[in-house]
């Protein structure tokens, strides 16, 4: 890319010109972007030029390509040969984190939330203290940790080890006992920090099943501490999922995978995407489920499951889901006094009563639909399903890779060593256990997810980029620092051609990778 430099002493100002900038409404506009290389932040160009009377020391001509915020992956299990869930000593683990952070910038990713699956209790203390926020030089930012488990439903456990899955019998106290109090955030002050101190806590996301004993009670406390609670690996009913969101749940983990599929009478977790903001009443007296479900006759029957094996993909397990009829109280059979709560506020404008038929007004209980994650590799979710979800709730869509340790864009197809003497067969974006048709996880890169998403949904490239940048940042509450081109945000950027291919990646105002 052509670079022009002035002869004056460097003031650290860099101007990207002849480029297209993705806007927060999903559009693209031709506009320059100014950054401060010394501080690693995005600047208000008008204020810098007209008020401070300063000109950029360097001007970079991007040749009409797209200059986007760097991608953020909030669910990634490992990459480039390192598994975030495997602990073999502090030094080896730290080196593995650094390796992933240095190499993943090639895919346009400038920030990740390392994800660990259900572990033995003793390992949480060892791993989570190493997953505090960290920004290695010339590498992607490590934002903290995302834990899946151990509070999951057995029939939707996927590859999580059955003996390690437990209920939260004492609510949030059980969360503290498992993850350790020192690893859980007390406040959201980490969101506003430019630097990261040694004592910064790394708790960012916890995935659990709301119907498991004690989990629903813990959601409010988790969200109060600035942690994003994700609904996942669950069979909860629509009412239970709705109650979880009203208690503070903010996101759905890998939509369509490890959850009941859409049923017209009880759409369950997926149905949250179609929720109306005019919910009349908060569901009450929701039952908790552990290893049993209610049959149509009201008797308790054990859930039957077929073991998928230790390496089965949670998206393609052979576990039989429980009956898809509503497991809580029938919403339609409730007493009207339960549904039309007198404490609900009443809409005051015609537009607010559009669901009531015009003259009559429905009670209004504000309900904000959660964010939801999608693995857009064409394997975990069919393109039609991806388009259906995005059409229902575009503002909540977050692209993730959910990638395994084998993620490496340079890895060739064929047989490769995995672990415990097992091998896998890589066929494009599919991973199979040797000698089986069992999928072993995802190896799709985030830049490919963005391109796939645009193709699957028909949305523009800028709209697809938003799902990998601004939306995940909003979910974590860090959109003023990450995932946007706002003045004062970190200058974490990716240059894309018109087809969405990565040309270069910048972290804190410095180029860390460029295509040869």
């Amino acid at each position: 890319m052509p670079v022009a430099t002035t002869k004056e002493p460097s003031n650290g100002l860099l101007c990207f010109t002849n480029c297209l900038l993705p806007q927060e409404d999903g559009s693209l506009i031709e506009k320059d972007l100014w950054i401060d290389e010394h501080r690693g932040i995005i600047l208000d160009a008008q204020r810098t030029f007209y008020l401070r009377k300063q000109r950029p020391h360097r001007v970079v001509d991007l040749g009409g390509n797209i200059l986007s915020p760097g991608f953020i992956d909030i669910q990634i299990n490992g990459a480039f040969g390192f598994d975030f869930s495997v602990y073999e000593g502090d030094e080896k683990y730290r080196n593995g984190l650094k390796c992933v952070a240095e190499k993943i910038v090639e895919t346009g990713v400038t920030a990740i939330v390392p994800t660990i699956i259900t572990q033995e209790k003793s390992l949480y203390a060892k791993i989570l203290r190493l997953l505090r926020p960290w920004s290695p030089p010339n590498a992607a930012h490590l934002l903290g940790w995302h834990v899946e488990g151990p509070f999951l439903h057995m029939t939707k456990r996927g590859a999580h080890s059955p003996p390690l899955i437990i209920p939260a019998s004492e609510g949030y106290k059980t969360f503290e006992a498992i993850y350790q109090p020192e690893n859980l955030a007390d406040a959201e002050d980490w969101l506003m920090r430019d630097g990261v101190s040694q004592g910064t806590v790394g708790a960012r996301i916890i995935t659990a099943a709301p119907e498991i004993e004690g989990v629903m009670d813990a959601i409010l406390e988790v969200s109060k501490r600035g942690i994003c609670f994700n609904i996942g690996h669950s069979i909860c009913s629509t009412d239970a999922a709705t109650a979880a969101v009203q208690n503070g749940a903010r996101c759905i983990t890998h939509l369509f995978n490890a959850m009941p599929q859409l049923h017209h009478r009880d759409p369950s977790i997926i149905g949250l995407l179609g929720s109306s903001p005019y919910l009349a009443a908060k569901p009450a007296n929701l039952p908790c489920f552990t290893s049993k479900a209610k049959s149509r006759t009201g008797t308790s029957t054990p859930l039957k499951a077929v073991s998928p094996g230790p390496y089965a993909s949670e998206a393609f397990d052979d576990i039989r889901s429980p009956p898809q009829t509503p497991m809580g109280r029938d919403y339609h059979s409730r007493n009207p006094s339960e549904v039309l709560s007198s404490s609900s506020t009443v809409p005051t404008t015609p537009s607010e009563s559009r669901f009531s038929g015009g003259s009559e007004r429905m009670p209004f209980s504000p309900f904000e639909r959660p964010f939801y994650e999608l693995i857009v590799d064409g394997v975990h979710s069919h393109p039609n399903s991806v388009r259906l979800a995005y059409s229902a709730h575009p503002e909540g869509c977050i692209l993730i890779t959910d990638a395994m340790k084998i993620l490496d864009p340079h890895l060739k197809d064929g047989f490769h060593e995995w672990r415990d003497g097992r091998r896998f067969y890589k066929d494009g974006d599919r991973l199979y256990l040797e000698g089986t048709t069992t999928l072993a996880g995802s190896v799709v890169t985030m830049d490919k997810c963005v391109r796939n998403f645009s193709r699957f949904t028909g949305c523009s490239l800028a709209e697809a980029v938003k799902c990998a940048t601004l939306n995940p940042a909003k979910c974590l509450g860090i959109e003023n620092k990450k995932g946007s081109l706002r003045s004062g945000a970190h200058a974490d950027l990716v240059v894309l051609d018109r087809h969405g291919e990565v040309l270069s990646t910048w972290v804190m105002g410095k180029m860390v990778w460029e295509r040869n």
Side-chain angles (χ1 to χ4, degrees):
M1 59 187 71
V3 179
T5 307
T6 66
K7 295 181 180 180
E8 300 173 2
S10 175
N11 56 9
L13 300 185
L14 184 154
C15 172
F16 293 100
T17 191
N18 190 16
C19 55
L20 297 171
L21 304 183
Q23 302 301 289
E24 295 185 11
D25 64 358
S27 63
L28 276 176
I29 64 169
E30 187 173 354
K31 186 179 179 180
D32 292 352
L33 183 75
W34 288 38
I35 67 172
D36 186 328
E37 291 183 282
H38 294 164
R39 293 188 292 158
I41 63 170
I42 296 170
L43 299 173
D44 182 326
Q46 276 197 322
R47 183 178 182 85
T48 305
F49 182 76
Y50 291 108
L51 297 183
R52 291 169 53 182
K53 308 295 184 184
Q54 290 184 300
R55 294 179 179 273
H57 177 68
R58 287 205 300 155
V59 177
V60 178
D61 187 335
L62 293 180
N65 289 308
I66 298 168
L67 181 61
S68 164
F71 301 146
I72 302 172
D73 193 350
I74 66 171
Q75 182 153 350
I76 174 171
N77 303 290
F80 301 101
F82 182 69
D83 189 332
F84 297 133
S85 294
V86 175
Y87 176 79
E88 296 176 331
D90 285 12
E91 184 178 358
K92 190 170 183 178
Y93 197 90
R94 193 81 167 172
N95 289 339
L97 290 175
K98 186 170 181 288
C99 173
V100 174
E102 288 173 343
K103 291 183 177 182
I104 204 162
V105 293
E106 177 184 346
T107 67
V109 173
T110 58
I112 63 173
V113 181
T115 305
I116 63 171
I117 62 171
T118 301
Q119 302 285 316
E120 293 182 6
K121 182 179 177 180
S122 62
L123 286 178
Y124 283 107
K126 296 176 181 178
I127 293 177
L128 298 187
R129 65 182 173 80
L130 295 172
L131 287 176
R132 297 174 184 270
W134 183 31
S135 298
N138 304 314
H141 304 279
L142 298 156
L143 298 179
W145 49 260
H146 176 177
V147 291
E148 283 189 284
F151 313 111
L152 311 176
H153 198 283
M154 189 66 73
T155 66
K156 291 298 178 183
R157 67 183 183 274
H160 295 249
S161 176
L164 302 179
I165 293 174
I166 61 172
S169 304
E170 297 184 64
Y172 185 73
K173 288 184 179 179
T174 308
F175 279 57
E176 286 189 317
I178 294 296
Y179 307 134
Q180 302 301 305
E182 62 270 21
N183 291 319
L184 296 169
D186 290 320
E188 296 185 17
D189 57 347
W190 68 276
L191 301 175
M192 304 307 296
R193 293 177 180 170
D194 285 323
V196 175
S197 65
Q198 274 304 103
T200 304
V201 176
R204 298 296 170 261
I205 307 169
I206 295 175
T207 291
E211 75 276 14
I212 296 301
E213 179 187 358
V215 171
M216 189 70 80
D217 293 334
I219 295 175
L220 186 60
E221 186 62 33
V222 167
S223 60
K224 278 181 179 178
R225 292 170 178 259
I227 305 169
C228 179
F229 183 93
N230 279 24
I231 301 171
H233 292 272
S234 166
I235 63 163
C236 70
S237 66
T238 303
D239 280 356
T242 300
V245 173
Q246 290 174 321
N247 279 355
R250 192 160 172 78
C251 188
I252 301 170
T253 292
H254 42 55
L255 187 75
F256 299 119
N257 298 299
M259 63 184 64
Q261 297 311 294
L262 194 68
H263 189 284
H264 60 288
R265 291 198 186 96
D266 186 358
S268 188
I269 302 164
I270 300 171
L272 290 173
L273 274 63
S275 296
S276 166
Y278 298 85
L279 286 175
K282 183 175 180 178
N285 304 321
L286 294 169
C288 291
F289 300 93
T290 50
S291 60
K292 294 184 178 181
K294 292 285 185 179
S295 70
R296 290 178 181 269
T297 61
T299 58
S300 295
T301 56
L303 297 172
K304 297 181 179 179
V306 179
S307 174
Y311 299 106
S313 169
E314 63 196 25
F316 292 90
D317 57 45
D318 294 322
I319 298 171
R320 301 189 190 98
S321 295
Q324 296 304 294
T325 51
M327 293 176 296
R329 300 164 63 201
D330 185 355
Y331 184 88
H332 301 289
S333 66
R334 292 181 186 170
N335 187 301
S337 63
E338 294 181 71
V339 178
L340 302 179
S341 170
S342 60
S343 63
S344 300
T345 58
V346 179
T348 57
T349 66
S351 63
E352 289 176 333
S353 60
R354 65 185 182 277
F355 294 104
S356 64
S359 59
E360 297 180 5
R361 290 176 175 175
M362 288 181 65
F364 177 56
S365 176
F367 182 81
E368 185 176 346
R369 289 178 291 178
F371 290 94
Y372 59 95
E373 303 171 349
L374 282 173
I375 309 169
V376 192
D377 57 0
V379 180
H380 283 79
S381 296
H382 190 278
N384 291 1
S385 299
V386 172
R387 188 168 190 260
L388 188 67
Y390 183 66
S391 299
H393 186 22
E395 294 302 313
C397 183
I398 295 174
L399 305 186
I400 60 167
T401 63
D402 200 22
M404 308 296 284
K405 61 175 280 188
I406 324 104
L407 171 67
D408 183 342
H410 304 290
L411 194 65
K412 295 181 179 179
D413 287 353
F415 289 100
H416 300 273
E417 296 299 324
W418 194 4
R419 61 185 177 191
D420 300 334
R422 287 177 172 250
R423 296 199 306 169
F424 65 87
Y425 180 78
K426 179 180 181 294
D427 180 15
D429 289 332
R430 297 172 184 260
L431 280 180
Y432 298 100
L433 293 180
E434 182 179 14
T436 75
T437 57
T438 301
L439 284 160
S442 165
V443 288
V444 70
T445 58
M446 183 59 79
D447 58 317
K448 188 167 185 179
C449 280
V450 169
R451 295 191 297 274
N452 284 346
F453 188 77
S454 179
R455 186 163 55 92
F456 293 174
T457 64
C459 74
S460 68
L461 188 57
E463 290 169 322
V465 161
K466 180 179 176 179
C467 297
T469 56
L470 184 64
N471 289 355
K474 279 185 173 180
C475 182
L476 296 179
I478 57 174
E479 66 270 24
N480 287 328
K481 295 295 181 185
K482 303 283 186 189
S484 72
L485 299 179
R486 298 177 185 179
S487 175
H490 296 161
D492 300 337
L493 308 164
V494 57
V495 180
L496 306 169
D497 66 17
R498 300 295 183 97
H499 302 289
E501 299 283 351
V502 178
L503 301 178
S504 65
T505 307
W506 302 64
V507 174
M508 296 299 285
K510 294 179 172 56
M511 188 167 66
V512 296
W513 183 85
E514 183 178 22
R515 174 174 290 180
N516 296 325

